[in-house]
């Protein structure tokens, strides 16, 4: 059977994967904290018809070397990479909304024992005063690895500064003080952000290639936030999807799919001619 037929089939399959990724990017264009993905292709094995030869300049007669003669057998999926660049900010006016300017992730727990990470800082307070993700109920953790809690029997109001320290105004004295001494909102960093595993719900978890989470913040063992990282309150980070880029990638994926479809059609025509040699 023609090699071109199967090579083109591999092209169809992998361009479909690229379209799937583009479709997911476009669908999440307004998802807070979403990070776009990209697809890269790589070549499949090549069939060697003739190997390379070594030049022979000492023999009689002398001969030059020749390159290998190979036929490629199609395309394979190289990788699907997460692009962890900063998204644009959107002001909300909500005092529990937070955006990380710079690298890092909020640390949350869904059941008290697990740890998940997110760039989406659209948080709220639940009925008991815990800072949570409103979609899942996951609790936001501080640098002591404890759920952040604001006691409204003690504090009449609160504020969050750029270093993650939460200051409460006491009901009895009217004076401000940190709601927890030597602690603040935790921000975790990884040596390889793109290696994190996406869980859905805008959450990530540690993978074998992300490296361990290193937590920074007020009271953390690693110290305060690194230079270039701070919290912006009453704002959230939007998706980093660029529609112009996605539509351009969509056009190239569509044309690649069409070109591979055309190769299949032509290969089928050649096979038909071969079959019709004997009538």
């Amino acid at each position: 059977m023609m090699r071109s037929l199967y090579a083109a089939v591999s092209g169809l399959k992998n361009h479909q994967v690229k379209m799937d990724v583009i479709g997911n990017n476009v669908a999440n264009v307004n998802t807070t904290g979403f990070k776009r993905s990209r697809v890269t292709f790589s070549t499949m094995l090549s069939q060697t018809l003739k190997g390379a030869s070594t030049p022979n300049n000492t023999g009689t007669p002398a001969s030059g070397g020749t390159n290998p003669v190979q036929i490629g057998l199609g395309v394979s999926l190289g990788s699907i990479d997460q692009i962890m660049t900063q998204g644009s900010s959107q002001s909300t006016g909500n005092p529990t909304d937070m955006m990380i300017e710079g690298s890092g992730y909020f640390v949350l727990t869904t059941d008290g024992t697990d740890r998940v990470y997110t760039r989406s800082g659209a948080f709220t307070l639940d009925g008991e005063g815990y800072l949570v993700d409103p979609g899942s109920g996951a609790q936001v953790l501080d640098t002591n690895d404890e759920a952040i809690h604001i006691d409204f029997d003690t504090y009449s109001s609160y504020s969050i500064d750029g270093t993650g320290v939460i200051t409460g105004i006491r009901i009895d004295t009217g004076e401000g003080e940190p709601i927890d001494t030597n602690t603040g909102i935790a921000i975790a960093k990884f040596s390889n952000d793109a290696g994190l595993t996406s869980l859905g719900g805008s959450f990530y978890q540690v993978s074998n290639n992300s490296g361990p989470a290193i937590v920074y913040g007020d009271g953390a063992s690693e110290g305060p936030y690194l230079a270039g990282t701070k919290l912006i309150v009453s704002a959230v980070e939007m998706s980093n999807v660029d529609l112009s880029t996605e539509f351009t990638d969509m056009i190239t994926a569509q044309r690649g799919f069409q070109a591979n479809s055309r190769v299949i059609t032509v290969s089928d025509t050649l096979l038909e001619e071969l079959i019709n040699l004997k009538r």
Side-chain angles (χ1 to χ4, degrees):
M1 192 61 71
M2 288 186 171
R3 301 181 189 90
S4 61
L5 197 61
Y6 290 101
V9 169
S10 72
L12 288 180
K13 290 181 177 180
N14 287 287
H15 278 84
Q16 179 61 61
V17 172
K18 183 171 184 176
M19 274 301 305
D20 293 339
V21 172
I22 293 171
N24 182 63
N25 289 342
V26 173
N28 286 281
V29 68
N30 289 318
T31 301
T32 56
F34 177 78
K35 302 303 177 185
R36 65 179 293 265
S37 298
R38 71 176 180 190
V39 174
T40 59
F41 298 142
S42 62
T43 57
M44 294 180 69
L45 292 174
S46 296
Q47 182 178 2
T48 301
L49 302 182
K50 184 176 73 171
S53 63
T54 304
N56 182 10
N57 296 319
T58 59
T60 303
S63 63
T66 59
N67 295 327
V69 178
Q70 296 178 297
I71 300 176
L73 300 178
V75 63
S76 64
L77 186 64
S79 66
I80 301 178
D81 306 311
Q82 297 182 98
I83 309 301
M84 310 303 266
T85 55
Q86 180 94 39
S88 60
S89 63
Q90 179 179 342
S91 177
T92 65
N94 185 356
T96 56
D97 286 344
M98 287 171 279
M99 169 185 167
I100 299 174
E101 183 178 298
S103 61
Y105 298 81
F106 295 107
V107 185
L108 297 89
T109 179
T110 60
D111 60 9
T113 59
D114 68 335
R115 297 295 178 266
V116 294
Y117 308 90
T118 185
R119 290 283 297 189
S120 176
F123 302 133
T124 188
L125 294 173
D126 66 8
E128 296 182 354
Y130 287 95
L131 188 64
V132 300
D133 172 69
S136 63
Q139 296 176 330
V140 183
L141 301 181
D142 61 19
T143 51
N144 289 332
D145 206 32
E146 296 178 353
I148 295 173
H149 178 254
I150 299 176
D151 184 1
F152 286 103
D153 291 332
T154 303
Y155 302 104
S156 59
S157 62
Y158 65 92
S159 62
I160 305 172
D161 65 18
T163 64
V165 175
I166 304 175
T167 301
I169 304 299
R170 293 188 63 89
I171 296 175
D172 53 359
T173 64
E175 297 179 353
E177 65 178 18
I179 62 170
D180 284 307
T181 305
N182 295 325
T183 188
I185 297 172
I187 290 183
K189 294 195 176 186
F190 302 88
S191 57
N192 177 27
D193 291 1
L196 292 169
T197 300
S198 178
L199 297 178
S202 297
F203 293 148
Y204 298 94
Q205 71 177 6
V206 174
S207 75
N208 293 332
N209 197 40
S210 65
I214 303 175
V215 175
Y216 297 90
D218 187 65
S221 60
E222 298 293 334
Y225 301 156
L226 296 180
T229 299
K230 68 176 182 179
L231 283 183
I232 299 177
V233 183
S234 299
V236 292
E237 180 184 359
M238 296 304 294
S239 166
N240 68 348
V241 172
D242 181 0
L243 285 179
S244 61
T245 300
E246 299 305 323
F247 289 150
T248 301
D249 290 345
M250 189 183 301
I251 291 171
T252 59
Q254 179 185 18
R255 295 309 180 192
F257 193 93
Q258 289 177 335
N260 281 280
S261 299
R262 182 61 178 166
V263 170
I264 292 176
T265 301
V266 174
S267 298
D268 178 60
T269 301
L270 295 177
L271 288 173
E272 182 181 10
E273 291 297 326
L274 181 62
I275 293 172
N276 290 336
L277 286 177
K278 181 69 172 72
R279 299 200 177 194

